[in-house]
Structures are given as structure tokens and as C-alpha cells.
Amino acid sequence: MTTTLTGNPTTPPAPAGADRLLAAGGPDLSAHLACYGPARAVGNEFIDVVSAAGLTGRGGAGFPVARKLAAVAGGRRAVVVANGAEGEPASDKDAVLLWRAPHLVLDGLSVAAAAVGAQHCHLYAPQLLLDPIRHALAERQSTGYDTRRVNLTPAADTFLAGEKSAVLERLAGRAPIPRDKPVSTSRSGLNGRPTLVQNVETLAHLALLARFGPTWFRAAGTPDEPGTMLVTLSGTTASGVVEVPLGTGLTDVIHRFGRTDPADVQAVLVGGYHGTWLPGRALAGAAMSRNSLRRRHASPGAGVVRVLRHDECGLRVTAEITAYLATQSAGQCGPCRNGLPQLARHVGELAARGHTRPQDVARIADLVDGRGACHHPDGTARLARSALTVFAGEIDRHRHGCCRARSQKAAR
């Protein structure tokens, strides 16, 4: 099976440097084709191209995309889902991509469908983002560029809305709640069919791979982790979504893109609300790659880099995030119903008065970790544990009625 993509046979030069996904001059089809040219028709053999490129998922888990494609391609009546449900409050990358480059995502959706032999395609994203997608689909249909039908479903406005099984529950007309599914969705997903669920950024990379091939893709990044990734940078002088090669140093991201002196950084939250705090003094040598951050018990996740300056209280920020996460559980299991509210309460007390002992926070984190119906308790526990380590000095200050943030402001 091949894609139905057609267009001007002249392909512009491949984008050079790190600006790949957001290189087009606008979101319309003419700007898209002027920048990238038409996507090449592909079939099942495209899976070998993806394998040679070494592309991994950009939704957070970092799973090899070729393996997911191959698993779904082995089934019958496959389904492909573009997941743009960005429940992570600290991340804007998927929203920016869908606003600025909807045709790149839709190209990737068509390419993935052709590679696995799928007739049914879905795009799942917040309601606000579905209008530009509808406009892009209308452009593709009216010009004959791509006549593939894509079903649009609004995502719920919850933290867990983008979890894979929650996505499939929503598409099936049920509540978007993570399910404990012993059978892989590549074998039995939506309506029992083999289902490929890919983050929209991953699909955009597939669209470029279909045009420019694995050698071009590997020109950015590292040998072990090739390509680029979108990063949502906040807490810096210049904030927003930027595209960087995998392996880019964290201090480089903060200084070059965030226009912030690394010396002004107290800590960095990497990987989002389910991520890990890293102390500013330990950023040298840390890079936006799974291999680099694994040694620091962290992960790039979906590309969130939240900078904490010296005049902010890391305990208070962690307490706010933990309190939010406690309200965002699916309420299916004890660790979420009981454990996360207790964890949030203890972290809040630690931030407010320092009366709670750090070991009490660690004990509750240990109790919820690995015992939930999904990974929500695990991620919340990881965040809390990292705060205990990185902000240990701040815990002592709070115990004595002081706070780093208040002290910094008073000194000005």
C-alpha cells in the first residue's frame, strides 16, 4: 500500500541545521510544499528506513519507532492514531507544532498509515487545535494532495489525557482513563484492532524521513540518539518552544535559547511534572539525551526544561506541582486515591513551615511507587524524591522560618 500524497515533483533542498520541524513560512499547504516539497509515497519497506534512522518516540517514552511500526504492520485492519493531547502543563511543543506545521503532522500520519497498511486514521488533540487541523485537511482534500480521511477527536483537558490507553478509551467513546491492558495495543487496540499510537512530533519526523532519508536524519543528534527534538523552555529570559539536536548541552539550551546565564540557575526541572530536578551546579556535562540524563536519574521526557532561578523557592514550586498531580489522578487505585493526596499534603507542609520530616515524604513516595494502575504515582514520587535531594538546604531554611526566595528578594 502507498500513500495518496501527490504534489509538485520538485523537492526543495533538505533543511540544514536544527530547524527542521518548524522551518515552513506558514501553516498553509503552499508554504509547507515550498519548504519541504511533497512527501514521497511509501509502503511497508519504509519501516527499514525508520530503523536505519534510529528514530525514537518524542512523546516521552523514547521507544524505537520502527519496532512499533513493525509490530502493528504484522496485524490486520490496522489503525493509526496521532496523539496531540498535551496534558503536561509545562509543555507546549505539540500545540506549537499543530498550529505551525499541521501538514507535516498529517503527512506523517499518512506515511505511518501506508507503512503499516492502515485504512483508519485518527487525530486526537485539544479542541482548540482541531480547527487548524480541519482547515489543513480541507486544503489537502480540495487540492487532491492527500485524500486520506482522518477522524478528529477532542482530547480531555486532563493531565492523563494523552496516556496511550486513555487515548484509546476516549476514541472508543468512553472516559479517557488509563487502563491496565495486559495485551499490547499493537496486537489489540482500538476496537480490538492492531493500533499504532504516535505522538504528533514523532509523526512529523516520519514525514521528513520519507522525504530526505536516514542519512540526513542522522546528520543531527548523536550516533546513539540521532535527530532533533522540540523543547519547551520556561523560567528563562526567553521562553518558548525551540528545536535542538539530541545531545545538546543543557547549559547551551539555557544560555543560547533561553538567553539566561547558567550562573543564575538554581535548579532545572527536566522532563516535566513527572520529571526530575537537577541542581544548577551539576548541569555541566548534562545534555538533552536519554543516555546523558540517565546517569543523573533523569530523562528528557517530552522535552520540558523548566529553569528555577535563585530567587524562587524550589520547595514551593514542587508543592504546587504535587498538589496539582494529586487532583489529576484517575482515582482507580489506592496509590492515587489515598497516597498522592497524602504526598501532596506532606510536600506542602514541608514548603510552608518545614514541620514535616523529609523521611515522611520519602516514605509515602516509596509506598505509591510501582503500585498504581498506571505510572502516574511513579512520576509524582520521582518528582518529590528529587526535590528532597536538590532542595535539602532549603528544607533546613524552612525549618528555621527562612526561605531562599524571600531572602533573595530582601537582599535587593
Side-chain angles (χ1 to χ4, degrees):
M1 179 179 289
T2 60
T3 66
T4 56
L5 301 175
T6 61
N8 188 331
T10 302
T11 301
D19 293 328
R20 295 179 169 189
L21 300 175
L22 304 175
D28 55 281
L29 183 58
S30 60
H32 171 70
L33 293 176
C35 180
Y36 301 112
R40 300 180 187 277
V42 304
N44 186 263
E45 74 285 349
F46 181 63
I47 297 175
D48 292 334
V49 174
V50 180
S51 179
L55 174 65
T56 54
R58 299 299 196 252
F63 194 81
V65 176
R67 286 170 59 184
K68 292 183 70 171
L69 291 169
V72 175
R76 298 179 59 190
R77 304 175 68 202
V79 177
V80 178
V81 179
N83 185 6
E86 205 161 23
E88 165 67 67
S91 180
D92 288 323
K93 73 176 185 71
D94 291 345
V96 168
L97 184 63
L98 287 169
W99 273 111
R100 292 180 54 182
H103 288 289
L104 203 58
V105 174
L106 293 171
D107 279 357
L109 185 58
S110 272
V111 165
V116 301
Q119 293 293 328
H120 297 278
C121 294
H122 297 262
L123 192 146
Y124 175 76
Q127 181 68 57
L128 183 66
L129 296 172
L130 294 186
D131 283 343
I133 297 300
R134 288 191 184 94
H135 177 74
L137 286 170
E139 281 189 298
R140 298 163 81 86
Q141 290 279 345
S142 64
T143 59
Y145 173 68
D146 184 4
T147 58
R148 187 182 295 275
R149 179 181 175 184
V150 179
N151 298 302
L152 303 183
T153 301
D157 186 21
T158 63
F159 184 80
L160 294 175
E163 195 274 341
K164 181 170 65 172
S165 62
V167 171
L168 297 182
E169 289 293 303
R170 179 77 163 193
L171 294 182
R174 296 184 287 269
I177 296 175
R179 300 296 185 189
D180 185 10
K181 290 187 174 294
V183 179
S184 170
T185 57
S186 63
R187 291 174 53 196
S188 178
L190 185 63
N191 299 323
R193 298 181 181 183
T195 303
L196 175 74
V197 182
Q198 289 288 174
N199 174 259
V200 292
E201 182 189 344
T202 308
L203 293 173
H205 284 291
L206 285 178
L208 296 183
L209 262 176
R211 289 169 165 87
F212 308 120
T215 301
W216 167 84
F217 182 82
R218 285 185 168 275
T222 71
D224 292 335
E225 298 177 73
T228 64
M229 71 180 299
L230 295 177
V231 172
T232 307
L233 187 60
S234 62
T236 47
T237 302
S239 298
V241 175
V242 297
E243 187 173 6
V244 303
L246 281 160
T248 301
L250 266 172
T251 54
D252 191 24
V253 172
I254 293 166
H255 185 260
R256 182 153 58 99
F257 296 101
R259 300 176 190 170
T260 297
D261 187 342
D264 295 334
V265 176
Q266 178 190 170
V268 175
L269 178 60
V270 179
Y273 281 15
H274 276 174
T276 305
W277 286 107
L278 298 178
R281 63 181 181 277
L283 294 183
M288 289 301 292
S289 78
R290 304 186 76 82
N291 287 341
S292 173
L293 292 176
R294 186 180 295 115
R295 296 192 292 271
R296 295 162 173 83
H297 307 288
S299 168
V304 171
V305 176
R306 198 290 194 196
V307 170
L308 187 81
R309 293 177 181 256
H310 289 294
D311 60 353
E312 294 184 272
C313 177
L315 290 179
R316 187 164 63 233
V317 172
T318 303
E320 291 170 354
I321 295 174
T322 309
Y324 165 79
L325 292 175
T327 68
Q328 292 296 302
S329 81
Q332 299 184 99
C333 59
C336 274
R337 287 195 307 268
N338 305 314
L340 292 190
Q342 286 189 50
L343 184 61
R345 178 170 58 83
H346 280 282
V347 175
E349 290 179 356
L350 202 64
R353 296 177 297 276
H355 291 171
T356 294
R357 300 179 304 168
Q359 52 264 45
D360 293 332
V361 175
R363 177 178 58 82
I364 298 173
D366 289 343
L367 286 174
V368 303
D369 199 359
R371 292 179 169 87
C374 68
H375 295 299
H376 185 55
D378 309 353
T380 309
R382 178 167 50 247
L383 173 76
R385 285 198 197 95
S386 69
L388 294 180
T389 301
V390 174
F391 305 121
E394 191 63 20
I395 293 172
D396 288 335
R397 290 190 186 90
H398 281 228
R399 187 176 292 116
H400 292 89
C402 300
C403 176
R404 184 187 191 97
R406 290 195 295 268
S407 301
Q408 290 288 329
K409 290 175 181 176
R412 291 179 179 177

